[in-house]
Amino acid sequence: MTTTSLDAVTLGKQLNMSDISDTAIVLLDEKGTVVAWTHTAERLLGYSAGDIVGRSAALVLPSFREATTTSAFVEQCHAENGWSGATAVRHRDGGVLDVSVRITMLRGQDGTTRWLASVTDTVPQSGDAIDRSVRGPLLARAPIGVGIRDLQLRCTYVNDVAESYDGLRRDRRLGRRFTEVLPGDHGETIEAVMRQVLQSGATKVHEYRTWLPTSQGPEHQFAASFQCLQGADGESLGVCVIGADVTASWQARERLAVLSQASARLGSTLDVMQASQELADLSVPLLADFVAVDLEQSVSFGEGLPVRIGATGKHLPGLRRAGLASIHQGVPESPWVRGEPVFVPPIPPFTDVLCAGKSFLEPVLDTASGAWVHKVPELAREVRENGVHSIMVVPIRARRALLGAALFVRTKDPVPFHEADLLLAEELVGRAAQALDNARQYARKHTTALALQRHLLPRRLTGGTAVEVASRYLPADLDHSVGGDWFDVFPLSGARVALV
C-alpha cells in the first residue's frame, strides 16, 4: 500500500476567530434541502438551526428561488460541478444582504452527494475583521478542499480537490479518521482541534505548511477552517473542514513585512556602498537566488553631476559593483567583486534599462543561439555555468537621475519570475533609490566641504628663523572628517611669528 508523507506539516499560530466569522457554512442534500447548519450561518443570516434544517435552501439562497425549480438548480450545479456568484439574500429580520455564494459538490462512500454552500457578506461589518488570505479562497473560484467528519471524526463526504492537497484518494479517506491515514502527531493535532470544535461549537482556523505530493518545488502554505455542523435540535452532527492554498497571500504578507523592514534598514545609512549591500541582502533569498547592485560612477564617489535618464545616448554610463548577495557561498555568479568597475554590454536589454530607465523582465531566459545572451560570449558562459533561467533588471532612479541598476537572478529556485516579483523588485529598488539619493547628495556635499577645507589649509608652514613649526589637523567630528577651524602661520618682521 502506498504511504503518503506529510513530512513538513507544521501547524502555525491559530488565527483570530474574527478572520472567518462572517463565512456561513450550510450543508445541503442532493435535493437542496438543508441538512446541517452552523453558528456562523446563524450570525450572518439570523436563522437558527431549528428554523432552517429540514427546509429548502431556497429559503435563504435566492439562487435556488430564481431557478425554475429547485431540482433544476441542483441539476445545473451537477453539470457545472458547483456554482459561485454574487447575489442578495434576505436576513430573517427582513433586511437585505449582498453576499458571495459558493456551492461545492461533495461525494460520499455510498455514492450519495452533498452540497456545501459557503456564504459571505461582501461588505465587512467591522473594518479589517476578515482576513482576505483565508476568506478570499473560500469564495473565489480557486480550488478548495472540503471534508465532512462525523461525531467519531470519520470522513463521510469529501470533494475532489482534497486529494491534491495531501495525496489521499477518496476511497482511502472515506470512512476513516485522520489518525488512521495520517499517523503521528499531525493527525492527532488535527483531531484535537476537531474535538474542541464539537464541544464548543466554535470555529477554529489553522495555517500550516506542507509540500504538495506532486510538487518538487517550495512548500505551500494552507489555511484550514473547522466548523461545527448542527442538526435541527441544535446538537452537533459533525465537523466541516475546509482547506485553501493561501501561498500567494502568505508570500504577499511576507513581502510586505520585508518592505517595512527595508524602509528601516535602507534609510539608516548615508553610505552608498552599504545601502547597495542592504538592498542585495534583503532580496536574497526572498526574491532571488542572486542579486547584484551596480552604481553609476559619480554616485559611488560623490563626484560629478548625476546622469540624466534619456541623456546617455548610445554610450552607457560607467558602473561599479556596490552590492552582492547569493544563496551560494562565495557568490560564484559574479565575475566582479564589490568596488570593481563592471562591463555592461551595449545591447538590449541593458541599453533599455540604462538609457530609457525601463525595467526588464524575462521569466524564462531565452538561451537559443540567436538570443541576446549569446551576443556576449562571456555572458552566455556565465548563464550556462550558473544555471540562470529567469532574470529581472531594474533601474535605480531618483529625481530623473540614473543612479545605477539592480540585477535579480534565479538559478536554483525553479519558479520563473513573474509580474508580481517585478513589482516587488521595483518597490525595493525604489526605496533603496531614496536612500542612495540621500547618500549621494551627502557624499557630494562632503566632497565639496573637504575640497574647501584643503583649499583653506596652508600647503606648507614656515616660522622663519624664529620658530620651527609642525601641525596636525584633527577635526572634532571624526565620522565626517570635516571641521570648521582654520589655521596658518605668518612670519613677521623682527623675528616675530603670527599663529592663526
Side-chain angles (χ1 to χ4, degrees):
M1 181 175 64
T2 303
T3 301
T4 301
S5 174
L6 290 178
D7 299 323
V9 173
T10 304
L11 286 176
K13 66 175 182 178
Q14 182 173 312
L15 299 180
N16 190 303
M17 183 176 170
S18 64
D19 291 341
I20 199 170
S21 61
D22 287 346
T23 301
I25 300 298
V26 182
L27 190 63
L28 313 174
D29 67 10
E30 294 175 298
K31 298 181 179 180
T33 301
V34 178
V35 294
W37 199 246
T38 59
H39 284 302
T40 53
E42 182 176 352
R43 281 198 302 270
L44 179 64
L45 302 173
Y47 296 92
S48 67
D51 296 329
I52 196 70
V53 173
R55 303 179 68 178
S56 171
L59 180 66
V60 292
L61 298 179
S63 303
F64 278 77
R65 286 200 303 270
E66 292 167 1
T68 305
T69 62
T70 299
S71 59
F73 182 76
V74 172
E75 288 302 318
Q76 177 187 346
C77 290
H78 269 291
E80 300 177 4
N81 197 25
W83 183 89
S84 65
T87 185
V89 60
R90 186 169 296 279
H91 192 275
R92 189 183 182 188
D93 64 8
V96 176
L97 297 175
D98 292 322
V99 297
S100 295
V101 180
R102 177 168 182 167
I103 300 176
T104 305
M105 180 190 293
L106 309 178
R107 302 178 189 275
Q109 194 171 12
D110 55 0
T112 59
T113 60
R114 290 288 184 267
W115 301 96
L116 184 90
S118 52
V119 186
T120 299
D121 187 352
T122 56
V123 180
Q125 297 178 355
S126 57
D128 297 328
I130 301 171
D131 187 331
R132 298 290 177 177
S133 69
V134 176
R135 175 186 171 195
L138 291 176
L139 296 174
R141 291 188 176 272
I144 60 172
V146 180
I148 303 298
R149 301 270 166 175
D150 62 17
L151 293 175
Q152 287 72 45
L153 307 185
R154 295 171 301 203
C155 182
T156 56
Y157 291 93
V158 68
N159 71 342
D160 296 334
V161 176
E163 181 178 343
S164 66
Y165 285 168
D166 52 25
L168 294 174
R169 299 189 308 274
R170 187 188 315 128
D171 58 350
R172 284 197 60 210
R173 191 189 307 267
L174 290 171
R176 293 182 173 87
R177 294 170 47 180
F178 263 115
T179 50
E180 293 177 315
V181 294
L182 207 68
D185 295 339
H186 305 316
E188 293 175 0
T189 301
I190 293 173
E191 288 196 352
V193 173
M194 290 193 288
R195 290 191 189 94
Q196 293 175 12
V197 169
L198 286 173
Q199 292 171 3
S200 65
T203 297
K204 290 188 177 295
V205 181
H206 280 278
E207 284 193 88
Y208 62 93
R209 297 185 194 181
T210 182
W211 282 281
L212 294 178
T214 57
S215 173
Q216 301 299 319
E219 291 177 296
H220 279 239
Q221 185 87 358
F222 294 94
S225 75
F226 303 83
Q227 292 204 37
C228 180
L229 296 171
Q230 297 176 296
D233 54 3
E235 294 295 319
S236 299
L237 297 179
V239 180
C240 173
V241 183
I242 298 179
D245 189 335
V246 294
T247 304
S249 57
W250 169 65
Q251 290 174 339
R253 293 200 304 268
E254 187 179 59
R255 290 174 175 183
L256 285 174
V258 169
L259 289 176
S260 177
Q261 181 186 13
S263 296
R265 289 176 59 178
L266 293 172
S268 64
T269 179
L270 287 175
D271 183 280
V272 293
M273 296 293 285
Q274 183 179 340
S276 300
Q277 187 59 43
E278 290 282 9
L279 171 59
D281 290 337
L282 281 166
S283 304
V284 175
L286 171 72
L287 182 58
D289 297 330
F290 165 71
V291 171
V293 181
D294 299 328
L295 297 182
E296 195 270 323
Q297 296 276 18
S298 67
V299 178
S300 302
F301 297 102
E303 299 176 350
L305 295 174
V307 175
R308 292 291 173 184
I309 294 175
T312 58
K314 296 182 179 180
H315 301 288
L316 298 183
L319 299 181
R320 188 173 296 270
R321 187 130 296 175
L324 277 175
S326 171
I327 60 172
H328 299 109
Q329 190 90 16
V331 198
E333 300 93 338
S334 177
W336 299 283
V337 299
R338 294 181 68 209
E340 286 187 341
V342 174
F343 168 70
V344 181
I347 59 172
F350 302 109
T351 52
D352 296 333
V353 173
L354 297 177
C355 298
K358 296 180 180 179
S359 297
F360 172 76
L361 165 65
E362 189 162 356
V364 180
L365 188 62
D366 186 1
T367 56
S369 58
W372 62 268
V373 172
H374 287 275
K375 295 180 180 179
V376 184
E378 296 83 356
L379 179 61
R381 184 178 65 254
E382 292 290 335
V383 167
R384 183 175 60 256
E385 291 179 354
N386 292 289
V388 177
H389 67 85
S390 188
I391 71 166
M392 298 186 295
V393 187
V394 179
I396 306 174
R397 303 170 296 182
R399 305 170 189 263
R400 289 204 51 80
L402 178 72
L403 306 183
L407 171 68
F408 300 84
V409 168
R410 280 186 178 167
T411 55
K412 186 177 180 181
D413 186 346
V415 181
F417 287 124
H418 48 79
E419 291 294 337
D421 295 313
L422 181 61
L423 289 175
L424 176 62
E426 289 178 334
E427 185 68 27
L428 278 171
V429 169
R431 300 191 184 202
Q434 296 177 21
L436 287 167
D437 187 47
N438 291 336
R440 175 182 65 85
Q441 293 188 68
Y442 166 77
R444 290 192 64 198
K445 293 176 181 178
H446 183 251
T447 301
T448 301
L450 284 176
L452 178 61
Q453 183 185 74
R454 286 194 297 266
H455 180 73
L456 288 175
L457 293 176
R459 295 184 179 170
R460 63 186 182 88
L461 295 174
T462 176
T465 58
V467 294
E468 292 183 2
V469 181
S471 68
R472 180 187 180 198
Y473 184 81
L474 186 63
D477 187 350
L478 296 179
D479 291 333
H480 302 121
S481 303
V482 178
D485 298 328
W486 167 77
F487 69 87
D488 207 341
V489 177
F490 297 96
L492 302 176
S493 61
R496 294 174 301 158
V497 174
L499 303 177
V500 180

